[in-house]
Amino acid sequence: MTMEKVFEKLRALQDVLSRKFETQNEMEEIPQALATKVELLNRLKKSYTEKSDDHEEKIRYINDLRNKAIEAERLRESFEKQMDLIQTQREYEALDKEIKDAGEKEQELRRDLQKEEELLDEMKLSLEKEEMMIQQQEEEVKEEQERIKVDIKAKETQLKSLKREEKKITPGLDEEILFKFERIIKNKSGLGIVPVEAGVCTGCHMILTSEYVNVVRRGDGIMFCPNCSRIIFYLGEDEQGDGLEELNTIDEVVEDESDYKDDGEE
Ligand SMILES: [Zn+2]
């Protein structure tokens, strides 16, 4: 295979691989939105359970208060009945005090009961609100799960077709070069093969030595930029016509991503 053919294959492969990695990254990100929603749902459910327990406890407390109020009422009534049997002033005063005390106790219990019942109503309202929020969140989670299923299926189809394309290109290319090339594309935002232009690597703008440029120009084998590790090829004057469009595209990408200059300092 001529070097021209190898470079042509690598450029085609670069396109396929960068789309493949992009799709794989997107697939990894898909479940994140769901995870956030599930987490919120779990928090809501936990809070609901706690509040529900508090609510149950409040009901028990109120029932207890109500029983005590009824008991106090009965006690007061029984004292009041005894009034008919009173014989002396002394007995009267003692019983009158019992009635007053029982009445006060009863009133106090009734007041507490009313206050607690108001609190219970508030708790119930808040519980109902949370119940609705949980329902809503459960629906959202369900919708998200459906959406993810569809998304993942679409991406898997896309990935399969990209892998088929990849298999069509790779035969005849050196395994080790392929391995390196894949890694470069993964790490360098999809750009793994760039032309040398005026002695400069157009991937990272590093000035290459004239000896190195000469080796690249001879085209005896695959050469890597010593700075950014991208595969570099020489764009001869007679090739400028064919490669011009591609070169422009690469230039745009390079200018957009100024961090390429930092590659050598890592
Ligand atoms: Zn470079």
Side-chain angles (χ1 to χ4, degrees):
M1 204 188 310
T2 63
M3 282 313 286
E4 279 78 14
K5 183 71 189 158
V6 170
F7 289 141
E8 193 187 302
K9 270 178 171 266
L10 286 175
R11 279 195 296 264
L13 187 60
Q14 166 174 277
D15 181 48
V16 173
L17 286 178
S18 59
R19 277 191 287 151
K20 187 179 95 174
F21 295 144
E22 207 176 295
T23 308
Q24 281 170 341
N25 284 339
E26 282 165 4
M27 278 178 85
E28 275 169 31
E29 279 162 18
I30 286 175
Q32 276 168 15
L34 178 66
T36 312
K37 284 193 164 74
V38 169
E39 201 184 307
L40 177 61
L41 178 61
N42 288 339
R43 271 209 304 272
L44 283 171
K45 279 181 172 171
K46 188 165 175 272
S47 154
Y48 182 82
T49 308
E50 282 166 7
K51 282 190 179 171
S52 184
D53 289 347
D54 290 349
H55 183 252
E56 293 296 316
E57 204 187 308
K58 185 64 91 186
I59 288 174
R60 280 195 295 274
Y61 182 68
I62 285 175
N63 283 338
D64 190 43
L65 262 185
R66 191 176 293 119
N67 286 337
K68 279 181 181 159
I70 291 168
E71 226 171 86
E73 188 184 1
R74 279 198 195 122
L75 188 63
R76 178 182 50 79
E77 283 171 355
S78 84
F79 285 142
E80 280 167 355
K81 273 181 197 143
Q82 287 172 40
M83 266 299 185
D84 301 338
L85 311 167
I86 286 301
Q87 310 248 318
T88 67
Q89 177 69 16
R90 208 186 147 94
E91 276 177 351
Y92 171 80
E93 277 168 15
L95 191 56
D96 188 52
K97 188 173 182 319
E98 296 278 23
I99 291 170
K100 261 186 200 150
D101 286 352
E104 267 167 32
K105 181 80 192 155
E106 186 194 344
Q107 288 305 312
E108 194 190 312
L109 286 164
R110 296 261 175 228
R111 270 198 304 274
D112 282 355
L113 190 61
Q114 198 187 355
K115 207 170 70 193
E116 294 296 331
E117 276 171 339
E118 276 165 20
L119 282 174
L120 186 70
D121 284 345
E122 279 170 30
M123 285 173 114
K124 200 169 167 239
L125 272 177
S126 150
L127 270 178
E128 282 167 0
K129 217 161 99 184
E130 286 197 18
E131 212 170 337
M132 264 170 62
M133 277 166 73
I134 287 173
Q135 259 176 28
Q136 204 180 341
Q137 194 61 21
E138 270 174 343
E139 271 165 37
E140 271 185 44
V141 165
K142 221 173 129 188
E143 277 170 26
E144 187 73 33
Q145 280 168 334
E146 288 302 313
R147 201 159 42 225
I148 281 177
K149 255 193 235 162
V150 175
D151 265 14
I152 286 183
K153 212 168 177 182
K155 298 265 182 236
E156 274 170 353
T157 312
Q158 207 177 332
L159 212 54
K160 262 186 207 157
S161 108
L162 283 168
K163 280 178 182 167
R164 270 199 303 273
E165 280 184 58
E166 187 185 343
K167 272 200 184 126
K168 270 188 234 161
I169 302 168
T170 48
L173 290 173
D174 182 83
E175 291 273 335
E176 204 179 320
I177 297 284
L178 275 178
F179 178 74
K180 273 192 187 171
F181 191 58
E182 272 205 33
R183 264 201 3 221
I184 299 166
I185 288 177
K186 228 178 209 169
N187 298 335
K188 308 276 177 187
S189 319
L191 204 58
I193 176 163
V194 293
V196 172
E197 209 190 343
V200 171
C201 164
T202 54
C204 67
H205 296 294
M206 160 135 157
I207 299 166
L208 305 165
T209 63
S210 52
E211 288 87 0
Y212 208 81
V213 175
N214 279 335
V215 177
V216 175
R217 194 203 313 244
R218 272 208 306 277
D220 294 338
I222 302 274
M223 297 297 287
F224 296 89
C225 167
N227 184 45
C228 69
S229 311
R230 291 187 178 92
I231 291 176
I232 43 180
F233 63 97
Y234 189 78
L235 203 59
E237 272 166 44
D238 49 333
E239 289 172 67
Q240 297 250 348
D242 309 340
L244 203 55
E245 206 180 313
E246 242 163 351
L247 192 60
N248 283 341
T249 320
I250 289 163
D251 270 349
E252 278 163 29
V253 173
V254 169
E255 274 161 25
D256 284 345
E257 300 185 28
S258 51
D259 58 334
Y260 282 167
K261 283 206 167 177
D262 299 327
D263 286 345
E265 287 156 24
E266 274 162 22

